[in-house]
Amino acid sequence: MRIVTVCGMGLGTSMMLAMNVRGVLADEGISANVEPVDLGSFKTMPADVVIAPREMERQVTGTSAAVVLIDNLVDKDEIKSKTLQTVRSLQG
Amino acid sequence: MGSTAGLAGVVTADTIRARIAVTSWEEAVRASGELLVRAGACEPPYVEAMEQAVRDLGPYIVLAPGVAMPHARPEAGVVRPGIAVVTLDTPVPFGHAANDPVDLVIPFAAVDKDAHLATLQRLVALLQDQTALDRVREATTDEELCTALGLEAQDTQTN
């Protein structure tokens, strides 16, 4: 499974998000490729799941990827529950 | 249960300010960014770029309740890696639907992703440590803020 975390520049927020998502998936024994990207690269990067700050909802919808929107980007519980819900639904 | 989320080695005393007075998010970004300029971490255009990024991309840099982390691309004027930690006397709204208003502003200048990662991990650890975060917010002087961040309070030499 390919997961991208997105922010404006691919430097701050998306990296923090990627670190947390990797931690969550590792804890659950789920293997996935998690890459932080900026908004520009996101459009050219095929992914199964896109995880982004809620404020970027408009910019990340419209691709084939399932969208996960996070309010608090350092809240492990929020990231965990939302990510796992989406990842598990795709694993079906 | 002692906190190990200190930022010693990541921030220095000259880029820390407690309870500064600002009346808008723009002022908060400029005032905190100015610390990075004075510390030699970035050129003034970088601060303008941080402000413009919020206008262009939205307030997603308000990544947790009350916490904004303004930043821009390295090529906008970063000289060397740097982070400032500023608390606000009165919280200001950035226009974020869930996490406004902001009372903790942490602007950073990064040169490349890899060098930046270790620093980010320390910051995330701090932001995930509610006890440490409370101490940061309760600090009323620069010295108290230094202590809350795990730095030795010391005389600073800017300029």
Side-chain angles (χ1 to χ4, degrees):
Chain A
M1 183 171 303
R2 184 172 179 87
I3 298 174
V4 293
T5 59
V6 179
C7 74
M9 282 154 248
L11 195 60
T13 316
S14 62
M15 286 179 77
M16 297 175 85
L17 207 41
M19 282 188 277
N20 275 312
V21 169
R22 284 180 189 136
V24 163
L25 296 178
D27 286 349
E28 298 293 316
I30 298 169
S31 78
N33 179 14
V34 183
E35 283 301 319
V37 298
D38 63 69
L39 262 182
S41 321
F42 161 68
K43 311 230 154 103
T44 61
M45 212 146 177
D48 302 302
V49 180
V50 51
I51 305 178
R54 179 173 300 281
E55 299 284 316
M56 294 205 150
E57 179 169 11
R58 235 171 1 96
Q59 290 103 314
V60 297
T61 44
T63 72
S64 59
V67 177
V68 176
L69 298 169
I70 306 291
D71 289 311
N72 182 340
L73 298 160
V74 299
D75 182 343
K76 284 180 185 163
D77 293 334
E78 180 184 354
I79 294 170
K80 180 176 179 172
S81 62
K82 289 181 175 174
T83 301
L84 289 180
Q85 193 187 357
T86 299
V87 166
R88 293 212 163 111
S89 73
L90 289 180
Q91 284 177 329
Chain B
M1 292 293 287
S3 163
T4 53
L7 293 182
V10 173
V11 285
T12 54
D14 59 351
T15 53
I16 287 173
R17 291 290 181 277
R19 304 284 177 99
I20 68 165
V22 297
T23 56
S24 66
W25 71 262
E26 292 94 335
E27 248 185 88
V29 171
R30 277 182 235 137
S32 58
E34 178 61 26
L35 294 175
L36 293 178
V37 174
R38 275 194 278 167
C42 67
E43 305 286 348
Y46 184 76
V47 180
E48 290 161 32
M50 290 196 293
E51 198 182 325
Q52 194 58 43
V54 176
R55 290 206 186 88
D56 291 345
L57 301 167
Y60 77 91
I61 56 151
V62 185
L63 49 88
V67 183
M69 288 186 55
H71 59 283
R73 291 181 186 279
E75 55 271 27
V78 173
V79 177
R80 60 171 181 75
I83 295 183
V85 178
V86 172
T87 60
L88 305 181
D89 190 40
T90 307
V92 294
F94 272 62
H96 193 286
N99 297 334
D100 267 348
V102 169
D103 67 344
L104 176 57
V105 186
I106 308 176
F108 64 81
V111 284
D112 71 71
K113 291 185 185 191
D114 293 335
H116 184 49
L117 192 58
T119 303
L120 270 181
Q121 281 167 331
R122 302 272 295 278
L123 269 177
V124 172
L126 172 76
L127 296 175
Q128 288 172 337
D129 182 339
Q130 198 53 52
T131 309
L133 210 45
D134 287 346
R135 277 204 303 273
V136 166
R137 289 189 151 120
E138 285 159 10
T140 56
T141 65
D142 295 351
E143 289 73 23
E144 284 176 15
L145 185 52
C146 276
T147 307
L149 292 169
L151 304 182
E152 297 292 320
Q154 58 197 346
D155 290 339
T156 62
Q157 290 187 331
T158 47
N159 302 326

